[in-house]
Amino acid sequence: MNKTLLIIKREFLTRVKKKSFIIMTLLTPILMGALMVVPGMLASMGDTSSKKIAVVDKTKMFVNKLQGTEKVSFEYIGEQDLPAYKKAMTDKGVDAILVINQGIINNPKDAVIYSNEDVSVEMSSMIESNMEDLIKEEKMRTFNIQNLDEMLKQVKSSVNLNTIKLDENGMEKETNTVVIMGIAYIFGFLMYLFIFLFGSQVMRGVIEEKSNRVVEVIISSVKPIQLMMGKIIGVAAVGLLQFTIWILLSLAIFVGVKGYMMSSYSEKMAQQTQVTSVMSAQGGTQISEEDMAKIQDEVGDTTKIFNSISERIIPILFYFVIFFLGGYLLYSSLFAAVGSAVDNETETQQLMLPITIPIILALMVMMHTFQNPNSSISFWFSMIPLTSPIVMMARIPFEIPTWEVILSIVILYATIFAVIWLSAKIYRTGILMYGKKTSFKEMLKWIKHS
């Protein structure tokens, strides 16, 4: 046991003293945050250049009715001008030509847009939405309803559903499905990343010691199983330390962002109230109740998001550590067995395939789990030990029954002992085997005879 502790200590100290460990520990939360925020920022920025679209309306129904935006404007041209515009679109100062044919009311595909470049999804959606509204109004006019325009304005409304979850006792609890899906995605993906990252570190460590023959010296003093477990537990300790630091940094960022956003909203509401008071005292128009309600809605929505995260984060972190340790021990013992059976990393490709397939499969099922956390597929893949660490982390934020989580943990940890026992048999023979390309058949022989 003392020798195993010495190996654990050596593995831990060797890795945490590396500059790469310190740099990655500090930079990863920032990089992960950027990975989640930057795509959204880029999507929101979109194409900032202005676009002009020439419209040929053969129905005369859309003339001067399509509503442009800050970035998109419409120019109506006659049907006779279409050939000239097609030939010299740039010279005419337009970016695209929209041709609306006579049958558009009954055939939604009877409209074409010509462009020298691919039309963006945003612009295409905006035009389609515009035309759909106008066609709907035109169809309603056929019913000869008086004051139709005024009626359409009054009936126009939007709906934002509030989600309330009922527990077994009928108690109500407000939830936010989008936020829960986001949490499930982040922790499911982190689990995949951690298992693969630290599991492969074990394999590379075994290959390195085997290739430079250091293992022959170590193996003369300790048993192969002690060496393998010491390496696995040492890397696990590094992973837990790194995870703890990342969580503390993430919590600090979370508290900072929450405080900043709440402060900004308070300041905004105070300014609106002050402006309203001044304008009211001068007999001017007050800030509309709609604007104030919009700000209050933003505050309410933001508060709900932060509350949803705060309520779930502690149990999620608790289960994350349990499933990370389980998944890591399971896969790292397999990685260690593969590392011991080869002489260099290039020989691992064939042997790694059966190990990586379940991880990739779990990642694919995880994407399904966001939409259907209680489906049969999600349930069974969260019980299979090779996929449960990733899939279960995508289910836990949805507050599934506790017995399902406990059953998954029991199955996972029971499987770990069997996998470690088999991996140790391969490791014991493979670690001293040189110059021979190992196959699965060969590894089965090692398990039988060791």
Side-chain angles (χ1 to χ4, degrees), residues 419-431:
V419 173
I420 289 177
W421 179 73
L422 290 173
S423 299
K425 284 178 172 288
I426 297 171
Y427 186 89
R428 185 187 303 168
T429 307
I431 199 69

Side-chain angles (χ1 to χ4, degrees), residues 170-352:
M171 296 291 289
E172 296 183 0
K173 184 179 180 182
E174 199 167 12
T175 63
N176 190 320
T177 306
V178 176
V179 173
I180 295 170
M181 285 176 66
I183 295 172
Y185 173 79
I186 291 169
F187 281 91
F189 187 75
L190 279 178
M191 183 63 74
Y192 158 78
L193 195 67
F194 275 33
I195 289 176
F196 213 88
L197 178 68
F198 292 108
S200 58
Q201 279 188 23
V202 172
M203 184 183 70
R204 280 198 289 272
V206 172
I207 295 173
E208 185 180 345
E209 288 180 352
K210 184 178 176 180
S211 60
N212 60 25
R213 305 268 176 166
V214 171
V215 72
E216 294 178 16
V217 179
I218 301 175
I219 215 78
S220 62
S221 305
V222 299
K223 293 179 181 177
I225 183 67
Q226 289 178 313
L227 178 59
M228 188 184 88
M229 291 309 300
K231 189 173 287 296
I232 290 173
I233 296 172
V235 175
V238 175
L240 286 177
L241 174 65
Q242 205 162 36
F243 178 69
T244 304
I245 295 172
W246 287 345
I247 290 300
L248 292 175
L249 289 174
S250 300
L251 286 176
I253 293 171
F254 175 78
V255 172
V257 170
K258 182 180 179 182
Y260 172 76
M261 292 191 72
M262 290 296 107
S263 172
S264 298
Y265 280 129
S266 300
E267 190 177 338
K268 198 173 178 181
M269 289 187 71
Q271 287 176 352
Q272 289 283 39
T273 306
Q274 190 176 3
V275 170
T276 303
S277 302
V278 171
M279 294 184 72
S280 178
Q282 294 175 352
T285 306
Q286 293 186 11
I287 300 295
S288 69
E289 292 181 0
E290 189 179 343
D291 290 339
M292 289 298 289
K294 193 180 289 183
I295 296 173
Q296 288 173 350
D297 286 343
E298 288 179 9
V299 175
D301 292 342
T302 307
T303 304
K304 285 178 187 175
I305 291 172
F306 283 120
N307 288 342
S308 294
I309 297 173
S310 302
E311 287 172 2
R312 287 173 170 79
I313 199 68
I314 299 299
I316 289 173
L317 290 175
F318 172 74
Y319 286 124
F320 186 90
V321 172
I322 292 177
F323 278 99
F324 164 66
L325 285 175
Y328 166 78
L329 290 172
L330 184 71
Y331 276 101
S332 62
S333 57
L334 293 172
F335 279 118
V338 169
S340 69
V342 298
D343 292 336
N344 53 65
E345 280 197 52
T346 56
E347 295 179 8
T348 61
Q349 301 300 322
Q350 183 183 351
L351 300 177
M352 283 287 290

Side-chain angles (χ1 to χ4, degrees), residues 93-111:
V94 297
D95 301 281
I97 304 170
L98 173 64
V99 179
I100 305 171
N101 295 312
Q102 291 286 355
I104 188 65
I105 293 182
N106 298 315
N107 181 8
K109 294 184 178 178
D110 209 6

